[in-house]
Amino acid sequence: RKIVQRIWGGQSNRQRTVTVKLSNNNTARVYLRSSSTISSSKIMSSTKTPVPRAAIKPFKIEKHGDVRIDNYYWLRERKNPEVVEYLKQENAYIANELETPYKDLKQTLFEEMKGRIKKDDSSPPYIYDNYIYYRRFEKDKEYAIHCRKTLSSEQRASLEQGASFDSISSPEEVLLDVNILAEGKPFYNVAGINVSPNNQILGFAVDQSGRNLFRIYFKDLKTGKLLPDVLCGDSADFEWANDNKTVLYGMKNKTTLREEKIYVYTLGSLPAESFAAAHEPVAFSEESSDDEGEEEEGEEEEKEGEKSSTEGGDKPLSNTADIPPVGTLLYEEKDETFVVSVGKTLDEKYLQIHSSYTDTDEVRYISADSPASVLSDISKWTIFFPRERKIEYSIESGGTRFFIRSNYLAQNFRLLEHPITPGQSTTKESWKEVIPHRPDVLFEGLQVFANFVAMKEKQNALPQIRVLLRPETNGPISTAQQDLVSQNEPVYDVDTGIIADYNSPWIRFSYQSMTTPPSIYDYHVATKTKILRKQNEVLGEPKFISSDYQTDRLYADNNGTKIPISIVWKKSCRTENSPMPVLLYGYGSYGYSMDVWFSSVHLSLLNRGFAFAIAHIRGGEDLGRYWYDPEGKLLNKMNTFTDFVACGDFLVEKKITTPSQLHAMGGSAGGLLVGAVYNLRPDLFRGIIAQVPFVDVVTTMLDDSIPLTTQEYDEWGNPNLAEFYNYMKAYSPYDNVRERGNYGDLLVLTGFHDSQVQYWEPAKWVAKLRELSPETRVLFKTDLEVGHGGASGRFKRLDMEARVAGLRGWTWRRE
């Protein structure tokens, strides 16, 4: 059989492989032994599905005198049937290359992952007024059931003394069964669940699109019926005033999806028929689907596309383009780089409007007891401190004072306080320091209670909780009396949990490590006692035993900068100095620290000899604010990518793994990370997994009509300025695809309705790779039903996890 064209080559420790295209247009895999003789018995027939090729349609983009020709710009045309057909071809190709040949492995992985989950699980309850609130799952159901039970004063006192929540035997009241609401819907996400101060009305937000387009509904908990009122602002953000009927809610821009407006609405103030359209089945509107710049399609083609969501057309999605907001416009954030949100202090005394940019904050506040007529007048609100570039702050009330977390004269933030002075703004110079700035400790978060405050901190890339007492209720903090909730494992994560009661004597925190399942503790501040309320059970076979696994903290070196690596593996799967397959994960953007976590999903890899590692690279705040700003953003962004490469080189140098065993994974901005590294060091990684990857950086950041663009100028830079344009072009994965790049295997996953990273970015990237580096093995999957966060059900999510884990069988051909 005549070999017409070499398509791709790969190598394992056992043999070199090459796949060739034959004269009959089929493909075959040829295994080359060390003797270089071809064994005809090893030639296997492969898929008949051709490698997808997107049409080349050159599009000229010129900026700062630089001309780029984008052959796949047209893939952003969401309504174009040719676009959907291409995505379907890619889906068919991955089905034949990965999902069909390895369907048994994928199914095995799925059943393993599902088998480790406790099917009838529940969360630890928390106290709010005379109720305990919790959520639970029923066997084989995808979604949570939100519940509560009433408390007598005696039962509440008992719980506050440390009694078990199991002692509460009052009847269960089901507030919201999401399984019923989601029945028959391919995607259903409930967020922002918020009960009124008198516990009589439940507010909740629903997204049926995967694009974070929400409608807010209200349920009368006495009658069990939905109220007619529906808030169609596309945002899940809302908060109750203390009159139990007035709500503040957010509204997104219909094009950019920026949270830009706050409305005030009083339930029942409009007749039920005003909300008829909001209760009708909703359909996705292409007017708000971020298709700027595409050609208009004819009416006939648009209707054809509406036949079914799997054909790339319309499906039930939250769309409010034709539904006007209700209530009074309270505030509009006109600065396109800022977003706005609403909130309420834990003591429920004050409502807040928070305008924020990457490095700047401005908070307005007002008494939550104010009538709707006052709440609706922005002039009655007090600006705590007018926005000032590079001054970040947040405030929490505690008695007669606000406690302030701010970076004013403190790169890692410090704790300050100021008397509450309604109607009068403060100056930053008038803030009184409570806890000074510490160059080696990042102050990440604050919870204020009547008798203590809890500070979330990070030191040496490890989180901790510091508790400071208030000797007098609602009084000042005594810095001499402090307690530290610390842990003993080399790497772990600890975080504050839900405590809804300002007067609680307890602080709730969560703890987990790479070998310890998530655990919820209540810590009694006065007695320093700690109660384990729940630890997630890990079911299935083989039985999970934490001590069977080893976790460690390592440090790579990037030109003198030490980069932490957290790693876990199964002890029995590795002998000393024996390299093992490693999946290296990273993110490194927005200042998000990559704290470690326990994953029952990862056990399927660990039990098969893989190690899982997390690179704590610059761009996060793992080692303090400077790790992000200035070290990991803007004109220092390359540090993020070279740090990750340094971590990979370190793992190889220390013989923990080899380039033929090393895989990398990242999602969203982490997809940018692995995409950039894919170009920088294609020799270092056997395979790359890029989930909803942000890979077309320059073109996206030049388009201010796309969601998130203007809000992220301080993250990536504004490419309308030549300095930033040239810098981001140097690392943008799409703009740096190499011809015949000697790349490792690549799996790319995205969602058609993603509003944060548009589907066309990974689609264009894959198409360009197929054009310039046809020998590269690339698989690309577009889920036509979901958005940025993937599937909405707890078991549906495992399908993607099993697909990712199944890539091992595709890239690591040893079985």
Side-chain angles (χ1 to χ4, degrees):
R1 289 188 275 183
K2 181 180 178 183
I3 296 176
V4 179
Q5 175 190 359
R6 171 184 168 134
I7 299 179
W8 52 257
Q11 185 174 355
S12 74
N13 284 356
R14 288 187 177 179
Q15 56 212 355
R16 182 176 298 275
T17 64
V18 62
T19 292
V20 295
K21 187 174 182 180
L22 307 175
S23 56
N24 61 359
N25 287 325
N26 286 334
T27 60
R29 162 152 307 199
V30 181
Y31 289 75
L32 305 181
R33 301 292 185 181
S34 58
S35 63
S36 297
T37 59
I38 299 178
S39 171
S40 61
S41 65
K42 292 294 183 179
I43 298 178
M44 301 184 301
S45 178
S46 183
T47 176
K48 295 182 179 180
T49 301
V51 177
R53 303 288 186 189
I56 294 177
K57 302 180 182 182
F59 184 85
K60 180 179 178 180
I61 305 174
E62 185 172 4
K63 194 71 177 180
H64 306 299
D66 179 54
V67 176
R68 293 180 300 137
I69 302 300
D70 189 342
N71 288 333
Y72 304 104
Y73 188 87
W74 67 276
L75 286 174
R76 66 191 277 132
E77 299 170 11
R78 189 188 302 270
K79 293 183 292 184
N80 185 342
E82 188 179 355
V83 170
V84 178
E85 179 58 30
Y86 168 67
L87 299 179
K88 290 168 61 179
Q89 288 175 10
E90 289 283 5
N91 286 352
Y93 183 69
I94 190 175
N96 278 274
E97 283 288 305
L98 177 62
E99 295 173 354
T100 299
Y102 297 97
K103 66 179 180 180
D104 292 340
L105 174 61
K106 178 187 171 185
Q107 186 62 30
T108 297
L109 292 167
F110 176 80
E111 294 299 334
E112 284 181 7
M113 296 170 183
K114 185 177 179 181
R116 296 189 188 106
I117 297 175
K118 186 178 180 181
K119 308 302 188 298
D120 52 350
D121 205 4
S122 63
S123 66
Y126 65 88
I127 302 172
Y128 180 65
D129 285 346
N130 294 319
Y131 293 89
I132 58 169
Y133 287 85
Y134 58 97
R135 67 173 189 170
R136 60 178 177 82
F137 291 90
E138 292 184 350
K139 185 178 181 181
D140 296 328
K141 290 190 176 181
E142 291 277 2
Y143 298 97
I145 302 171
H146 298 268
C147 309
R148 71 180 180 184
K149 293 181 179 181
T150 58
L151 288 178
S152 66
S153 57
E154 292 80 11
Q155 288 174 322
R156 176 173 176 134
S158 171
L159 291 175
E160 290 180 347
Q161 293 300 315
S164 170
F165 284 99
D166 293 337
S167 64
I168 307 304
S169 58
S170 52
E172 178 182 80
E173 178 185 357
V174 174
L175 306 179
L176 201 67
D177 187 340
V178 182
N179 297 284
I180 295 175
L181 298 175
E183 188 173 353
K185 299 177 177 65
F187 183 93
Y188 202 88
N189 181 31
V190 172
I193 292 177
N194 194 347
V195 70
S196 61
N198 65 0
N199 295 281
Q200 298 304 310
I201 303 175
L202 181 73
F204 62 98
V206 174
D207 171 30
Q208 296 183 51
S209 69
R211 290 180 64 77
N212 292 322
L213 301 175
F214 290 89
R215 292 184 179 184
I216 299 171
Y217 299 87
F218 299 91
K219 181 179 179 180
D220 186 327
L221 297 180
K222 286 185 176 180
T223 65
K225 296 181 179 179
L226 285 178
L227 299 178
D229 313 76
V230 183
L231 307 180
C232 297
D234 285 337
S235 171
D237 190 29
F238 74 100
E239 192 55 79
W240 290 95
N242 285 348
D243 65 0
N244 300 295
K245 60 182 179 179
T246 301
V247 292
L248 281 68
Y249 72 98
M251 172 162 281
K252 294 182 179 180
N253 181 284
K254 300 301 179 186
T255 299
T256 66
L257 303 184
R258 178 176 71 95
E259 308 256 5
E260 64 178 3
K261 296 177 182 178
I262 302 296
Y263 279 80
V264 177
Y265 175 70
T266 300
L267 298 180
S269 61
L270 291 175
E273 53 266 25
S274 303
F275 302 97
H279 283 282
E280 290 295 320
V282 289
F284 184 51
S285 169
E286 300 298 344
E287 296 177 7
S288 60
S289 63
D290 319 311
D291 297 331
E292 295 75 24
E294 68 182 72
E295 298 178 1
E296 290 292 322
E297 298 295 326
E299 182 69 17
E300 181 176 344
E301 289 180 334
E302 187 171 340
K303 288 182 178 179
E304 180 180 347
E306 293 176 1
K307 291 178 181 178
S308 75
S309 59
T310 56
E311 296 294 320
D314 295 4
K315 67 174 192 150
L317 300 177
S318 296
N319 165 42
T320 63
D322 56 347
I323 302 176
V326 295
T328 302
L329 175 62
L330 171 63
Y331 179 75
E332 180 176 4
E333 179 52 70
K334 296 185 181 295
D335 189 327
E336 293 185 351
T337 63
F338 278 70
V339 295
V340 64
S341 61
V342 295
K344 197 175 190 179
T345 55
L346 183 60
D347 63 6
E348 300 193 307
K349 288 185 176 180
Y350 297 97
L351 292 165
Q352 296 183 357
I353 297 175
H354 194 159
S355 295
S356 60
Y357 182 46
T358 308
D359 63 359
T360 307
D361 293 294
E362 182 178 73
V363 178
R364 290 170 167 80
Y365 69 94
I366 196 171
S367 170
D369 293 327
S370 303
S373 59
V374 175
L375 293 175
S376 301
D377 185 351
I378 195 62
S379 68
K380 299 294 195 302
W381 290 65
T382 301
I383 300 177
F384 180 77
F385 174 70
R387 67 186 67 179
E388 181 178 321
R389 188 66 195 277
K390 294 189 178 298
I391 298 296
E392 299 176 62
Y393 73 92
S394 59
I395 58 175
E396 286 291 336
S397 63
T400 61
R401 72 201 73 219
F402 279 124
F403 291 99
I404 310 156
R405 173 185 172 269
S406 178
N407 70 339
Y408 170 53
L409 300 179
Q411 185 181 35
N412 277 340
F413 293 80
R414 57 178 173 152
L415 180 63
L416 309 104
E417 65 174 34
H418 193 281
I420 298 174
T421 56
Q424 181 180 347
S425 296
T426 69
T427 64
K428 59 184 185 293
E429 293 79 10
S430 66
W431 300 347
K432 179 183 176 182
E433 183 174 87
V434 178
I435 299 292
H437 174 256
R438 294 155 293 169
D440 61 335
V441 178
L442 176 65
F443 175 21
E444 292 187 302
L446 176 68
Q447 285 185 328
V448 175
F449 298 87
N451 294 295
F452 60 91
V453 301
M455 299 173 62
K456 170 75 181 301
E457 302 175 341
K458 183 172 270 89
Q459 186 173 25
N460 296 325
L462 293 173
Q464 58 193 25
I465 299 172
R466 185 179 298 271
V467 180
L468 306 180
L469 302 183
R470 305 176 72 182
E472 297 179 8
T473 299
N474 290 325
I477 290 173
S478 173
T479 57
Q481 302 182 63
Q482 49 187 273
D483 190 28
L484 192 65
V485 180
S486 61
Q487 305 301 328
N488 299 316
E489 294 188 79
V491 290
Y492 61 86
D493 177 47
V494 62
D495 201 358
T496 52
I498 298 176
I499 293 289
D501 181 9
Y502 174 74
N503 295 299
S504 174
W506 299 85
I507 179 173
R508 175 164 290 181
F509 69 94
S510 61
Y511 175 86
Q512 62 183 320
S513 74
M514 301 176 89
T515 60
T516 303
S519 309
I520 304 295
Y521 291 90
D522 282 343
Y523 178 83
H524 197 279
V525 174
T527 64
K528 300 183 182 180
T529 57
K530 184 169 65 174
I531 298 176
L532 176 62
R533 294 296 189 185
K534 176 184 173 63
Q535 183 176 82
N536 284 6
E537 295 183 52
V538 182
L539 307 178
E541 294 294 336
K543 181 180 180 181
F544 171 74
I545 301 174
S546 178
S547 59
D548 288 346
Y549 302 85
Q550 178 71 44
T551 184
D552 204 356
R553 168 62 57 83
L554 309 173
Y555 290 90
D557 182 275
N558 185 9
N559 292 321
T561 300
K562 299 298 183 183
I563 316 299
I565 304 171
S566 299
I567 187 168
V568 62
W569 67 93
K570 190 170 186 179
K571 296 175 183 177
S572 63
C573 291
R574 187 195 184 204
T575 57
E576 188 174 358
N577 296 323
S578 172
M580 54 185 169
V582 173
L583 178 60
L584 181 63
Y585 182 83
Y587 188 77
S589 290
Y590 305 108
Y592 294 161
S593 297
M594 192 47 58
D595 297 322
V596 303
W597 70 97
F598 178 86
S599 172
S600 63
V601 168
H602 290 162
L603 293 177
S604 290
L605 288 177
L606 302 183
N607 292 341
R608 287 171 169 81
F610 263 74
F612 177 74
I614 300 172
H616 303 278
I617 52 183
R618 282 174 283 186
E621 292 181 342
D622 304 71
L623 292 181
R625 181 69 170 185
Y626 87 98
W627 204 241
Y628 165 59
D629 186 6
E631 290 291 307
K633 62 187 292 193
L634 297 174
L635 298 177
N636 287 320
K637 192 61 198 173
M638 281 298 297
N639 287 337
T640 301
F641 314 131
T642 59
D643 282 356
F644 195 80
V645 168
C647 291
D649 280 335
F650 173 85
L651 294 172
V652 172
E653 177 188 342
K654 296 301 180 181
K655 302 188 186 305
I656 296 171
T657 191
T658 65
S660 65
Q661 296 171 298
L662 181 58
H663 298 71
M665 183 169 71
S668 195
L672 163 61
L673 166 69
V674 297
V677 167
Y678 198 50
N679 291 324
L680 286 172
R681 286 291 303 278
D683 61 305
L684 185 57
F685 297 94
R686 175 64 179 268
I688 297 283
I689 301 167
Q691 299 166 303
V692 291
F694 174 41
V695 287
D696 191 13
V697 183
V698 179
T699 304
T700 292
M701 293 304 295
L702 282 170
D703 189 346
D704 61 11
S705 67
I706 292 178
L708 302 181
T709 295
T710 58
Q711 303 157 46
E712 298 194 356
Y713 285 156
D714 193 57
E715 180 70 27
W716 318 106
N718 183 348
N720 293 296
L721 304 176
E723 182 181 30
F724 291 110
Y725 174 90
N726 292 326
Y727 189 83
M728 66 177 62
K729 184 185 174 186
Y731 67 74
S732 174
Y734 182 68
D735 292 289
N736 289 279
V737 173
R738 299 184 182 192
E739 191 168 357
R740 304 286 176 179
N742 191 31
Y743 293 110
D745 300 333
L746 178 65
L747 174 66
V748 184
L749 303 171
T750 193
F752 189 60
H753 300 289
D754 194 335
S755 62
Q756 291 166 259
V757 178
Q758 308 301 319
Y759 74 88
W760 60 74
E761 291 201 37
K764 289 169 55 178
W765 185 39
V766 167
K768 191 172 184 179
L769 278 163
R770 294 206 190 283
E771 174 195 354
L772 296 183
S773 189
E775 71 279 5
T776 299
R777 297 199 299 166
V778 182
L779 296 181
F780 176 39
K781 172 76 173 183
T782 303
D783 192 322
L784 297 170
E785 299 286 1
V786 306
H788 196 69
S792 56
R794 60 174 177 157
F795 299 129
K796 289 179 182 178
R797 290 180 183 275
L798 293 181
D799 183 75
M800 183 273 288
E801 297 283 1
R803 181 182 296 120
V804 170
L807 182 66
R808 172 183 179 273
W810 185 65
T811 64
W812 189 244
R813 297 173 185 269
R814 284 189 154 192
E815 290 76 15

